[in-house]
Amino acid sequence: MRLTFLARLLGTALLATAATSALAGEVVVSAAASLTNAFKDAAQSYEAQYPGSKVSLNFAASGVLLQQIVKGAPVDVFASADQETMDAAQKQGFVLPADRMDFVGNSLVLIVPHDSKLGIKNLSDLTHKSVTRVAIANPASVPVGRYSEGALKKAKLWDAVQPKAIGTQNVRQSLDYVARGEVDAGFVYATDAAIMKDKVNVVLDVPLDAPVLYPIAAIKDSANQAEAKRFVSYLQTAPAQAILAKYGFKKP
């Protein structure tokens, strides 16, 4: 009887230890919306490589994610679609310079609905009267919107195109608007356009002054620093890079 009681007690203790270990392996990753598909696959691969680990994913526009962090969201890893947002996170003390790295690159493209008959081929075509609605993510909080605004300003077309802009909350919303034919054109990343090849056509690789590089970093005050840094490091491994490449992301 005494042995049975001790065995049960020991079993309970072991279960408690296992539960604590599993909980310690959980990492919350806030990532730019354009990383959605790739990070879902990468998270599964990471969990398979490190049994007991758990990756919880949160996707939105980079600026929105930063505001969530500022307001105290329990985030362990932050992946932004631009340097500006990560710079802001660093300036506010949420990430350390030594902990951030550029892990993938992307490019900005102009897309139209698959059945478009407007003949849009370049940025100047967006000024034509036949083009009335252009999906552009909010430049104030969405990196792809800032890239789009910058490209149009460089081409001296922003003033003509801005009145036609249909503001979106993130790059995936812009993609959806074009795919459903609710707008005549839109700006997204090449990786986003690639997942809807049957519904949108890429008509232009938009020239930019600087490459689109995605930085990632563990949050300085993360309650799970070890797991956060391990996930960041994992993204540099061959299996993770293969997943990212499958979705069209480039090496930085």
Side-chain angles (χ1 to χ4, degrees), residues 111-116 133 135 166-168 171-185 196 198-201:
I111 60 173
V112 299
H114 191 67
D115 59 356
S116 175
R133 296 163 65 86
I166 303 301
T168 65
V171 68
R172 289 301 173 91
Q173 190 174 41
S174 294
L175 177 65
D176 287 342
Y177 281 0
V178 178
R180 294 197 298 262
E182 296 177 6
V183 296
D184 299 315
M196 286 196 176
D198 59 330
K199 295 182 179 180
V200 305
N201 291 335

Side-chain angles (χ1 to χ4, degrees), residues 45-176:
S45 177
Y46 178 84
E47 291 172 353
Q49 183 167 333
Y50 298 105
S53 63
K54 171 65 177 174
V55 180
S56 296
L57 298 169
N58 174 41
F59 300 107
S62 298
V64 172
L65 295 174
L66 177 56
Q67 287 307 306
Q68 292 173 355
I69 294 170
V70 169
K71 293 177 181 178
V75 176
D76 300 304
V77 176
F78 177 39
S80 170
D82 69 338
Q83 301 297 320
E84 184 175 332
T85 307
M86 189 63 78
D87 289 345
Q90 181 179 317
K91 185 176 181 180
Q92 295 177 65
F94 294 107
V95 302
L96 297 174
D99 289 340
R100 64 183 281 185
M101 70 167 190
D102 297 333
F103 72 107
V104 287
N106 214 333
S107 57
L108 180 70
V109 297
L110 180 65
I111 60 173
V112 299
H114 191 67
D115 59 356
S116 175
K117 301 295 192 295
L118 295 178
I120 298 171
K121 297 296 182 184
N122 52 56
L123 295 180
S124 61
D125 288 339
L126 299 178
T127 65
H128 295 170
K129 290 183 179 180
S130 59
V131 178
T132 60
R133 296 163 65 86
V134 181
I136 302 178
N138 180 8
S141 60
V142 191
V144 74
R146 283 195 288 275
Y147 293 131
S148 305
E149 179 183 14
L152 288 168
K153 284 184 173 179
K154 182 180 179 181
K156 299 182 179 179
L157 297 171
W158 178 247
D159 290 342
V161 177
Q162 186 181 19
K164 304 180 181 186
I166 303 301
T168 65
Q169 297 179 350
N170 57 61
V171 68
R172 289 301 173 91
Q173 190 174 41
S174 294
L175 177 65
D176 287 342

